[in-house]
Amino acid sequence: AIPASRQIPAATDSRPITTPERPVPALTVTISIPSADTAAAVLPNALAISRTPESAMTQPPAKIANRPPLSFQFRSCDSGTSTGPLGSLLFIWNKITADSTCDLSEELLRQWNISLMPMHILMGDDTYLDGVTIHPADVFAHVDAGGQTPKSAAANPVEYIDFFEPFAKEYDAVIHISVSAKLSSCYQNACLAAQEYANVSVIDSENICTGQGYLVLRAAKWAADGLTARNICMRLQSLANRVELSFVLNQLNYMAKSGRCSGVLAFGANI
């Protein structure tokens, strides 16, 4: 632990903070600590240590040039004397994406900065994008009006490549959580697309709907905490094996129309 004599006291200034009229220059905070190993032990997961020469600290990588202008420098101490910079801290920015089958609300998507790859919804001769050009209420209205039962189709690898491209350029890593590989070819297509990028990983949720959505939210929270992409992927793979989805249907009409149960069973269930 850092000795009490070297800890920085909490600020006691209660004056209101005013917004400056001109841009705030980049702020560098220098903290004196015993060693870089100590820093790694006491700093939160939201920050990652990179041992870089002092000259490199003034020029952040292009990928993070637009991030908040705050950086940290650490200096080792020997009897209270600074002996030079050990490294700097950079925020880790990981992007979480998923297939639209996770059924997360728009509010949660905005709150956790999650982007979805829409499934294709086939209704007759028309094709729509799930959550973009068609929504669940539209599907229910179509079927209730006597229309054919819609079908779904996975996005192809080229569509996944186009989907990943802007995130791969902007973020340190992209973690995509797909619908179960046993239910769709989304996982396979996403994996093919991920081969085009060095920083894109694809995780099989082994689930669908809220089961998949639970994994997506956990990943987003871990990303917000600053965990590395590798750490997040390992946690997701472990969690996917333990998440089970169950639900209760209030009617079997749609199941019967899609051929997943007989009309006789649906009729009996509705009596």
Side-chain angles (χ1 to χ4, degrees), residues 39-53:
V42 301
L43 291 170
N45 286 332
L47 301 173
I49 299 178
S50 61
R51 296 172 185 252
T52 56

Side-chain angles (χ1 to χ4, degrees), residues 5-235:
S5 61
R6 293 180 180 173
Q7 294 180 357
I8 302 175
T12 57
D13 191 349
S14 60
R15 291 176 296 177
I17 299 175
T18 58
T19 303
E21 296 181 355
R22 57 184 179 180
V24 179
L27 174 65
T28 298
V29 180
T30 300
I31 304 175
S32 296
I33 56 175
S35 67
D37 294 334
T38 302
V42 301
L43 291 170
N45 286 332
L47 301 173
I49 299 178
S50 61
R51 296 172 185 252
T52 56
E54 185 173 12
S55 59
M57 295 179 188
T58 59
Q59 296 295 332
K63 183 178 289 187
I64 62 169
N66 60 343
R67 299 188 186 178
L70 176 63
S71 62
F72 294 81
Q73 294 181 359
F74 291 93
R75 296 178 179 274
S76 61
C77 297
D78 182 11
S79 301
T81 302
S82 174
T83 59
L86 288 173
S88 62
L89 287 181
L90 300 176
F91 286 97
I92 301 175
W93 277 26
N94 292 323
K95 175 67 176 180
I96 304 301
T97 65
D99 294 323
S100 62
T101 48
C102 65
D103 290 339
L104 293 178
S105 67
E106 290 291 337
E107 180 180 0
L108 287 174
L109 296 176
R110 288 193 300 270
Q111 178 182 354
W112 294 102
N113 187 31
I114 301 168
S115 297
L116 301 183
M117 181 66 196
M119 293 276 287
H120 293 278
I121 305 299
L122 312 178
M123 294 174 56
D125 296 330
D126 299 321
T127 301
Y128 303 90
L129 295 178
D130 181 27
V132 179
T133 57
I134 195 170
H135 298 82
D138 302 320
V139 175
F140 295 142
H142 171 80
V143 176
D144 291 341
Q148 294 181 348
T149 303
K151 299 180 180 180
S152 62
N156 61 52
V158 175
E159 290 174 310
Y160 274 107
I161 290 175
D162 293 339
F163 176 70
F164 291 145
E165 182 175 5
F167 304 131
K169 291 180 178 179
E170 181 179 357
Y171 292 86
D172 297 315
V174 180
I175 302 172
H176 182 80
I177 303 162
S178 78
V179 62
S180 173
K182 296 180 180 180
L183 301 176
S184 171
S185 60
C186 286
Y187 174 73
Q188 178 183 358
N189 293 347
C191 287
L192 290 174
Q195 295 176 7
E196 300 294 321
Y197 305 99
N199 61 340
V200 176
S201 301
V202 181
I203 301 296
D204 181 3
S205 71
E206 303 180 24
N207 228 306
I208 195 173
C209 196
T210 53
Q212 176 193 359
Y214 175 71
L215 267 68
V216 176
L217 282 180
R218 290 304 300 262
K221 293 177 181 178
W222 289 329
D225 288 341
L227 272 65
T228 64
R230 181 185 179 190
N231 195 330
I232 295 174
C233 289
M234 292 177 61
R235 294 187 180 206

